Amino acid sequence: MTESLGVLVGYDGSEGGERALAWAAEEAAARRLPLTICHVWQVVYPGFVMMPVDALEKSATELVEAAADKARSTHPGLTVTTRTISGSPAFNLVDQARDAALTVVGSVGMGAFRRALIGTVGSQVAAHGSGVITVVRGEDNPAGPVVVGLDGSPLSAAVLRAALEEAKARTARVVALCVYPESAEVKDAPFVEEDRLRDIARERFEAAVRAGAEDFPGVEVQPRFVDGDPVTELITASEGARVLVVGARRGGSLRKRLLGSSSEGAVHHALSPVTVVHPPEA
């Protein structure tokens, strides 16, 4: 990953695309990164009549250039580039994400069929993408905290760091959430009573949060250790949040290896935008 694209946003001109564009432009400006606006267009055959390719190319170019003008007018001084690609939106955005510091996608499109299509694209990019992917869904509360779900897995440190970086860029506080027992991994503790296992999990969680926060002295971090179902607790915590940050765990079945049951539940049901942090590519 080169991160040469800075903040990459998939844009289609829909309401969801406009929300994704606004979010991505704010992120790029706050992080002092360039913004890349990408539109992936496809040849369609309405009534078995192929639409002219040159007309589609021209329309795609006009669409992203208009979007770039919006971003520049909202954030003067922001470096904005555009690109148009022919093919599968999900496949191409996943491919482009390898060279982005952050990839942003929307969650809805235009009309009933388009809404389902864009929803599929967003979920596919979140599941199969690289690095850090944000799906702009739910309600965005600019004054809300950055909520991050941690489970003690090897990826947790990177997930926490992504949340802290977001909070620093947005001058927000962080709520670090660990749900026991489903999310907490307690190792090297055989033959220990359940209450003690819970204490060990909480202690390790709080120690990990303190260690991760050391590099971000100006960010307020509130650890929360709760009992319950991880998906339910993540969704509940997302209400009123600026963004919910989760990790993509790769273990178990193919579907879970690509995203993870808790992360998948968050992407589809969270009440705020969701950021998914993927493990580094081998």
Side-chain angles (χ1 to χ4, degrees):
M1 294 179 61
T2 65
E3 300 188 355
S4 60
L5 300 182
V7 177
L8 169 70
V9 57
Y11 180 75
D12 66 354
S14 68
E15 179 182 351
E18 294 293 348
R19 288 192 65 198
L21 174 64
W23 179 281
E26 289 181 10
E27 285 290 332
R31 298 175 185 234
R32 299 182 180 180
L33 292 172
L35 173 67
T36 301
I37 303 172
C38 180
H39 175 68
V40 184
W41 58 275
Q42 294 176 297
V43 176
V44 293
Y45 301 86
F48 301 100
V49 178
M50 186 178 74
M51 296 181 67
V53 173
D54 56 348
L56 289 171
E57 291 178 334
K58 180 181 178 182
S59 176
T61 300
E62 291 174 348
L63 182 71
V64 293
E65 289 301 331
D69 289 341
K70 291 179 186 177
R72 294 188 187 103
S73 65
T74 307
H75 301 278
L78 179 64
T79 299
V80 183
T81 59
T82 63
R83 55 178 56 188
T84 60
I85 304 171
S86 173
S88 161
F91 176 85
N92 281 284
L93 287 173
V94 167
D95 183 60
Q96 298 291 306
R98 294 189 176 95
D99 294 321
L102 169 67
T103 301
V104 181
V105 293
S107 61
V108 294
M110 299 177 291
F113 175 73
R114 288 282 291 170
R115 184 173 297 113
L117 176 63
I118 296 299
T120 300
V121 170
S123 63
Q124 288 180 347
V125 174
H128 299 272
S130 304
V132 183
I133 313 289
T134 295
V135 180
V136 182
R137 56 161 295 117
E139 296 295 329
D140 170 19
N141 178 12
V146 175
V147 178
V148 55
L150 303 175
D151 63 1
S153 68
L155 186 61
S156 283
V159 175
L160 177 58
R161 186 170 189 85
L164 289 164
E165 289 175 346
E166 172 68 14
K168 180 180 178 180
R170 300 297 190 139
T171 317
R173 63 187 177 91
V174 171
V175 175
L177 176 67
C178 181
V179 184
Y180 184 87
E182 294 92 342
S183 289
E185 293 188 357
V186 182
K187 301 178 181 179
D188 305 322
F191 312 113
V192 180
E193 294 182 358
E194 180 64 25
D195 288 345
R196 180 54 186 152
L197 285 177
R198 188 181 187 282
D199 290 341
I200 292 172
R202 186 186 68 252
E203 290 165 3
R204 292 185 177 182
F205 161 66
E206 292 176 349
V209 171
R210 286 194 300 270
E214 287 180 354
D215 292 335
F216 299 84
V219 178
E220 177 187 350
V221 182
Q222 175 190 356
R224 286 186 55 208
F225 186 87
V226 301
D227 298 304
D229 172 68
V231 175
T232 300
E233 295 298 332
L234 286 170
I235 293 171
T236 299
S238 71
E239 185 173 11
R242 166 67 185 171
V243 63
L244 171 65
V245 183
V246 295
R249 297 188 62 183
R250 297 184 178 178
S253 66
L254 174 61
R255 191 175 188 185
K256 290 185 178 181
R257 183 166 66 249
L258 294 173
L259 190 56
S261 58
S262 296
S263 301
E264 183 179 29
V267 167
H268 288 283
H269 302 291
L271 304 175
S272 70
V274 180
T275 292
V276 180
V277 180
H278 287 264
E281 293 187 344

